[in-house]
Amino acid sequence: MSKYVFVTGGVSSSLGKGLTASSLGRLLKQRGLRITMCKLDPYINVDPGTMNPGEHGEVFVTDDGGETDLDLGHYERFIDESLNRNSNTTTGSIYSSVIAKERRGDYLGKTVQVIPHVTDEIKERIRRLNSEDVDVIIVEIGGTVGDIEIVPFVEAIRQFRSDVGRDNVCYVHLTLVPYLAPSGEQKTKPTQHSVTELRSRGIQPDVIVCRSDQPISEGLKRKISLLCDVPSQAVISAVDAPSIYEIPLAMHEEGLDRVVMETLRIPQENHEVDLSTWEQLVERVESLKKNVRIGIIGKYVNLPDAYLSIVEALRHAGFDHRAGITFDWIDAEMVPEQYGEEYLRQLDGIVIPGGFGERGIEGMITAAEIARREQIPLLGICLGMQVMVVESARNVAGLEKANSTEFDRLSPHPVIDLMAEQVDIADLGGTMRLGAYPAMLQPESIVAGLYGSEVVSERHRHRYEFNARYKNKIEESGLLCSGSSPDGRLVEFVERPDHPFFVGTQAHPEFKSRPDRPHPLFQGLITAALVRNNGREPQLLDLDAVH
Ligand code: GLN
């Protein structure tokens, strides 16, 4: 049977619960334990698919097409396991199944209540993850203890310990220890209040992780230990780290994995930790010698979390070349007025990311045009690829007013169009193509060279597709359709063979990048960006320099 770690947070949101949980996951994995993770989100949306990325951050897509919270991206990047739609549950999805059951009469005439019906449903979602193949399930509870919406979740995880046995559950609580400059002191009171709040719901934490900008002294740990009734070695100091990838090592030094294993009665002897691969990664992260400047031309640029996986994928590719990335967030609506040719030419590379809706589209098309003409490396992702196709159609193939029907339903040349009837779409999120789909790459193409394979699988999240009717015209304009669905009907990759790096994909490759296994397309972009950064003449991509 699997054991469970529940991670709650107090005092403030955005303390990094997801990263703490992910780091713990990686540490337990490095001890030879089999891990999976899950996030319980107390909001009412059934899933984050409908939420504005400018407010809530990106929607992370799993292989099976789950539209999930961005924390699942951290989980996958840290524990390097593919998660699925069951790895994220929201209040909305809990209530919709409770209400569906009530309508079906499953509750046999009982009054349906938060306790036990909603809490049972929550526990059922957690239990679903239990399997022969998993030793420890780490469950992060979104929100902050004390929130109205979180109460049923806290109650459910409280009950869970009696259900599965004391030694099979560990409660980790994350709090903030602020430093007050006038008194020159770190303050433990918010932590005490937060633990009191948790206890008032019946949960005594086993481990308290304290976020702070400076290390928590042993004396302060003893104080928290005394007041919150946890052993002093179970008070973990989590200091702000220069890179998120340093957190697992810092947490290990503090003994997080050890106390969690002790609580779960997992013998340490059989599970020596081997952190060598992660240490090598951190060594690379800490020894970046170069820097490239990458412009992200999108519409949600005020909240970089909206493009979190892209940011991380770029960083991963950078680590590989010992190159740091300077991000230049460019509001597509300000292209070209504020960010014209002169500005974009200063960039080493450009990403046009995914997105929905018309705002900023013309700016993205102009940026793609400038990147094509000025030989600036460009990676187009999903909407970004569609924009590259529209640009080539309009400006090279001479198809006036070419567009996606998402933005111009009456376009005389709908080079991107709804192709729903051609695709075998499950009834997930309406008409979206969601989740992993295979693609066949053209031999000798740039993308095949980058992937080192002619069959690849990437995750999707979009409605519109390259309109096959325009394939010949677009290819004549020099934009090669270098990858397609196995039946050949859907275009999955495009590229310009005569350009240092002008590659677009209908998929979202960013979701599959790992810190120690950067994604080939991002590696290609960064390699080309480094050449440009060196001030060398634009040249075709040297595949040998990529890996
Ligand atoms: N809006 C486009 C579509 O639905 C692109 C979506 C995306 O970039 N994820 O096809």
Side-chain angles (χ1 to χ4, degrees):
M1 198 191 79
S2 316
K3 292 179 181 264
Y4 300 83
V5 178
F6 293 107
V7 181
T8 55
V11 183
S12 161
S13 56
S14 307
L15 285 185
K17 263 195 318 266
L19 287 167
T20 306
S22 305
S23 300
L24 174 63
R26 185 68 196 205
L27 291 174
L28 296 180
K29 182 167 176 168
Q30 293 309 111
R31 283 183 178 266
L33 294 164
R34 296 161 307 165
I35 306 298
T36 194
M37 298 188 66
C38 137
K39 172 120 194 246
L40 306 179
D41 274 312
Y43 49 72
I44 315 273
N45 306 59
V46 172
D47 64 41
T50 55
M51 290 163 101
N52 179 351
E55 254 172 55
H56 187 71
E58 81 175 5
V59 174
F60 186 82
V61 181
T62 53
D63 276 333
D64 64 346
E67 297 181 273
T68 70
D69 186 82
L70 55 73
D71 269 320
L72 270 80
H74 286 313
Y75 302 171
E76 283 206 357
R77 287 186 282 273
F78 275 68
I79 64 170
D80 199 8
E81 301 285 340
S82 287
L83 302 172
N84 57 54
R85 56 177 60 253
N86 286 338
S87 316
N88 192 193
T89 287
T90 68
T91 294
S93 79
I94 302 274
Y95 271 84
S96 30
S97 46
V98 168
I99 290 169
K101 285 182 187 167
E102 185 274 332
R103 293 288 87 186
R104 280 202 308 267
D106 291 2
Y107 295 116
L108 306 173
K110 289 251 180 326
T111 307
V112 181
Q113 295 183 297
V114 172
I115 305 172
H117 302 103
V118 169
T119 46
D120 279 354
E121 185 69 31
I122 296 172
K123 290 196 290 181
E124 161 57 23
R125 302 294 174 101
I126 300 170
R127 243 184 254 114
R128 259 186 216 170
L129 303 166
N130 180 6
S131 97
E132 289 282 298
D133 308 324
V134 177
D135 298 313
V136 181
I137 301 167
I138 300 175
V139 182
E140 176 191 349
I141 322 298
T144 307
V145 165
D147 293 348
I148 288 180
E149 308 94 307
I150 207 175
V151 175
F153 291 94
V154 174
E155 170 60 12
I157 65 169
R158 181 194 69 75
Q159 295 175 10
F160 215 85
R161 192 173 226 172
S162 345
D163 292 355
V164 298
R166 165 154 287 277
D167 296 345
N168 293 322
V169 168
C170 174
Y171 297 114
V172 176
H173 188 57
L174 185 70
T175 71
L176 176 69
V177 176
Y179 175 76
L180 291 193
S183 58
E185 273 181 315
Q186 287 178 304
K187 291 296 187 187
T188 63
K189 193 68 82 188
T191 298
Q192 294 174 46
H193 280 300
S194 179
V195 170
T196 303
E197 176 69 36
L198 194 59
R199 280 195 192 141
S200 75
R201 301 277 166 205
I203 294 180
Q204 164 63 36
D206 299 297
V207 183
I208 299 179
V209 179
C210 302
R211 281 300 312 277
S212 58
D213 50 8
Q214 290 167 43
I216 313 263
S217 67
E218 286 306 315
L220 214 59
K221 282 187 180 177
R222 278 197 295 277
K223 185 173 173 192
I224 295 170
S225 154
L226 185 70
L227 294 164
C228 300
D229 202 19
V230 295
S232 171
Q233 63 272 23
V235 180
I236 305 291
S237 167
V239 187
D240 300 344
S243 157
I244 57 172
Y245 298 108
E246 296 177 23
I247 301 174
L249 298 184
M251 293 290 89
H252 176 66
E253 293 230 319
E254 282 287 308
L256 176 65
D257 43 329
R258 190 171 35 77
V259 276
V260 167
M261 286 171 76
E262 275 165 16
T263 310
L264 296 174
R265 302 275 188 271
I266 301 174
Q268 316 267 327
E269 312 79 69
N270 316 339
H271 294 286
E272 295 294 328
V273 72
D274 174 8
L275 289 174
S276 49
T277 47
W278 203 265
E279 280 163 355
Q280 282 161 18
L281 165 71
V282 170
E283 198 268 317
R284 282 200 299 277
V285 172
E286 287 174 343
S287 58
L288 304 179
K289 296 186 177 66
K290 305 164 253 182
N291 207 282
V292 283
R293 188 166 155 207
I294 303 291
I296 304 205
I297 304 182
K299 58 189 265 197
Y300 312 113
V301 289
N302 292 328
L303 182 74
D305 266 3
Y307 303 114
L308 184 59
S309 292
I310 291 179
V311 166
E312 292 307 321
L314 287 165
R315 287 197 175 123
H316 302 163
F319 299 157
D320 217 35
H321 291 276
R322 298 281 204 276
I325 314 287
T326 301
F327 293 94
D328 203 327
W329 296 100
I330 298 172
D331 183 344
E333 280 189 294
M334 308 289 193
V335 179
E337 290 72 22
Q338 193 171 330
Y339 305 102
E341 182 168 321
E342 208 175 310
Y343 189 93
L344 299 186
R345 280 170 52 143
Q346 300 165 36
L347 299 170
D348 300 319
I350 294 176
V351 174
I352 303 183
F356 293 81
E358 197 185 350
R359 186 163 65 80
I361 288 300
E362 290 303 319
M364 293 180 205
I365 295 171
T366 304
E369 180 187 354
I370 295 170
R372 175 177 54 78
R373 279 198 280 100
E374 296 300 321
Q375 309 267 295
I376 307 168
L378 166 64
L379 176 60
I381 294 176
C382 205
L383 176 67
M385 179 197 106
Q386 298 175 355
V387 158
M388 290 160 87
V389 173
V390 171
E391 191 278 320
S392 284
R394 282 188 195 173
N395 301 329
V396 192
L399 302 172
E400 232 178 281
K401 294 194 176 154
N403 213 331
S404 162
T405 48
E406 181 179 2
F407 315 122
D408 179 4
R409 285 179 39 214
L410 302 175
S411 166
H413 297 294
V415 289
I416 306 291
D417 200 1
L418 271 184
M419 294 280 140
E421 70 284 357
Q422 295 185 12
V423 193
D424 176 21
I425 293 174
D427 182 24
L428 309 168
T431 53
M432 284 248 232
R433 182 145 78 107
L434 279 169
Y437 283 83
M440 314 290 282
L441 307 183
Q442 222 175 79
E444 311 292 318
S445 61
I446 295 170
V447 285
L450 287 170
Y451 277 97
S453 166
E454 285 164 24
V455 187
V456 299
S457 168
E458 293 288 0
R459 300 178 191 172
H460 288 247
R461 180 172 182 255
H462 58 102
R463 286 193 183 85
Y464 293 80
E465 303 278 356
F466 185 117
N467 185 343
R469 277 203 291 132
Y470 286 92
K471 194 167 169 205
N472 289 344
K473 273 248 171 327
I474 299 286
E475 290 209 315
E476 281 162 21
S477 78
L479 189 67
L480 176 72
C481 299
S482 50
S484 56
S485 55
D487 64 6
R489 287 198 291 194
L490 301 173
V491 172
E492 298 276 24
F493 291 86
V494 298
E495 63 188 62
R496 283 197 166 270
D498 60 351
H499 189 286
F501 191 89
F502 196 87
V503 173
T505 169
Q506 189 55 78
H508 284 279
E510 68 272 24
F511 296 139
K512 288 179 69 169
S513 177
R514 300 287 177 262
D516 46 359
R517 220 169 343 100
H519 191 284
L521 296 184
F522 288 88
Q523 277 179 308
L525 175 73
I526 295 300
T527 306
L530 279 163
V531 172
R532 185 176 171 85
N533 179 269
N534 274 336
R536 280 187 253 147
E537 278 298 296
Q539 49 183 269
L540 296 187
L541 188 67
D542 171 10
L543 284 171
D544 290 335
V546 174
H547 300 291

